[in-house]
Amino acid sequence: DAGVIQSPRHEVTEMGQEVTLRCKPISGHNSLFWYRQTMMRGLELLIYFNNNVPIDDSGMPEDRFSAKMPNASFSTLKIQPSEPRDSAVYFCASSFRTGVYEQYFGPGTRLTVT
Amino acid sequence: EDQVTQSPEALRLQEGESSSLNCSYTVSGLRGLFWYRQDPGKGPEFLFTLYSAGEEKEKERLKATLTKKESFLHITAPKPEDSATYLCAVAGGGADGLTFGKGTHLIIQP
């Protein structure tokens, strides 16, 4: 299997611009997670979906962040407008079933907002 | 709020020198504890899941153990290719998302 696929791998944008990060989970997996990693705060959960339905978005920093999962094979994380403090590596992970099971991470998108 | 503390932050060992990494956690109703390995520029790679105190799991030179308050990742006779950041994470309460520690940066010198 191809593993979790994320695009783009690197994104550089200016403050105020809209940014869209994309994720394709492993085929057949029913849960999808978005995390953010920074040196200061480590890996933090932003939001997760079970069977395409958002379950917990309490980690989303503010209203500038939104996530969707229109079908089982695609999810987006959008930041509008972007700010320099949003600079981080954003990871998508998927798990083969709902509940507490191992999550498989993608390679991440490194976002730099200038 | 779930909390995970890993120690030490960094560890440098000689090849073949065994050691242990610590993960202390505070969680309401532990549902699972996870160990991941992360190489520079890559996503975390799953290693182990532990579900209850007393449980142990092994993979090659790595062995993970779990008590009611902490977990250890034992590394036996490490090799340079074991150099990486090792992350510990917990799932608690009713949520499936993971709370991660800051990690232990492990360097194995030849």
Side-chain angles (χ1 to χ4, degrees):
Chain A
D1 205 340
V4 175
I5 299 172
Q6 293 187 246
S7 64
R9 293 295 311 279
H10 302 274
E11 178 79 42
V12 180
T13 191
E14 292 183 348
M15 183 174 64
Q17 296 298 306
E18 177 179 298
V19 175
T20 299
L21 311 181
R22 296 172 175 80
C23 174
K24 176 179 171 56
I26 294 172
S27 178
H29 281 200
N30 294 328
S31 294
L32 183 140
F33 305 80
W34 282 101
Y35 291 88
R36 177 171 70 174
Q37 187 173 40
T38 62
M39 288 293 292
M40 289 295 293
R41 301 175 66 87
L43 259 173
E44 299 175 290
L45 176 70
L46 298 176
I47 186 172
Y48 76 92
F49 298 81
N50 283 344
N51 299 311
N52 312 338
V53 177
I55 303 299
D56 181 2
D57 66 354
S58 59
M60 297 285 262
E62 45 197 275
D63 292 345
R64 298 184 296 106
F65 285 67
S66 63
K68 294 182 179 180
M69 192 165 185
N71 57 62
S73 59
F74 184 66
S75 177
T76 60
L77 178 67
K78 185 177 293 186
I79 308 173
Q80 165 65 18
S82 58
E83 296 183 3
R85 59 193 167 122
D86 301 331
S87 298
V89 181
Y90 290 80
F91 289 103
C92 175
S94 69
S95 179
F96 79 107
R97 58 183 292 186
T98 61
V100 179
Y101 299 94
E102 57 266 28
Q103 298 174 18
Y104 295 90
F105 283 73
T109 295
R110 180 172 295 277
L111 173 65
T112 302
V113 183
T114 60
Chain B
E1 182 180 327
D2 300 345
Q3 290 189 326
V4 179
T5 303
Q6 292 188 246
S7 62
E9 290 185 13
L11 182 61
R12 188 182 297 265
L13 301 172
Q14 292 295 124
E15 183 173 1
E17 181 184 1
S18 301
S19 187
S20 297
L21 312 183
N22 177 261
C23 170
S24 297
Y25 62 89
T26 302
V27 61
S28 57
L30 180 70
R31 298 169 66 208
L33 184 140
F34 299 79
W35 282 98
Y36 283 83
R37 168 191 172 128
Q38 186 173 26
D39 292 298
K42 296 189 175 182
E45 176 188 344
F46 171 75
L47 293 174
F48 303 110
T49 308
L50 302 168
Y51 289 106
S52 58
E55 191 174 359
E56 299 182 353
K57 291 202 176 163
E58 285 188 71
K59 179 181 179 180
E60 297 181 354
R61 296 177 293 281
L62 300 176
K63 179 180 177 180
T65 62
L66 179 65
T67 72
K68 289 186 177 180
K69 293 187 176 181
E70 57 190 350
S71 176
F72 292 93
L73 185 65
H74 307 278
I75 302 177
T76 302
K79 299 181 178 181
E81 52 261 44
D82 295 322
S83 298
T85 295
Y86 290 85
L87 298 167
C88 173
V90 297
D96 297 346
L98 301 180
T99 298
F100 280 84
K102 294 283 185 65
T104 293
H105 181 49
L106 178 65
I107 298 173
I108 308 299
Q109 294 179 311

